[in-house]
Amino acid sequence: MPRQKRIPMRTCVGCRTVRPKREMIRIVRGPDGEIDLDETGKASGRGAYICPLVDCLDAAVRSKALQRSLQRDIPDELWEKLQGRLRGEQ
């Protein structure tokens, strides 16, 4: 019987739910200190994951969990970009 491949799991910084990595959105602080969305999931730097739900983003904003995880303040443009993506505008 063939072995099943292990599915990488990550924890959402907003709701603290563990989900498969591919179902989540990765926000990365690159080596240069810039914070941006990681569309590929492979960008180098410190990453934080969030569920693709507006409620999770709101929880992460309220608790400042994303800022703690990335050890930086999050630019307003990134918040707007994330909200737009979660609301289906992008």
Side-chain angles (χ1 to χ4, degrees), residues 12-24:
C12 174
V13 294
C15 67
R16 307 299 298 164
T17 303
V18 177
R19 296 174 67 157
K21 178 181 172 182
R22 291 188 178 257
E23 292 179 9
M24 302 181 83

Side-chain angles (χ1 to χ4, degrees), residues 28-47:
V28 66
R29 183 192 76 210
D32 58 355
E34 289 292 312
I35 297 177
D36 203 7
L37 291 179
D38 180 9
E39 304 291 340
T40 64
K42 296 179 180 181
S44 65
R46 182 171 185 83

Side-chain angles (χ1 to χ4, degrees), residues 20-78:
K21 178 181 172 182
R22 291 188 178 257
E23 292 179 9
M24 302 181 83
I25 299 170
R26 183 173 188 245
I27 297 107
V28 66
R29 183 192 76 210
D32 58 355
E34 289 292 312
I35 297 177
D36 203 7
L37 291 179
D38 180 9
E39 304 291 340
T40 64
K42 296 179 180 181
S44 65
R46 182 171 185 83
Y49 291 83
I50 191 162
C51 296
L53 304 169
V54 175
D55 292 341
C56 290
L57 179 61
D58 292 342
V61 169
R62 277 194 310 275
S63 66
K64 298 187 187 241
L66 198 54
Q67 289 95 316
R68 271 195 311 278
S69 181
L70 296 176
Q71 302 168 346
R72 290 267 192 290
D73 285 336
I74 309 300
D76 291 336
E77 306 86 56
L78 183 65

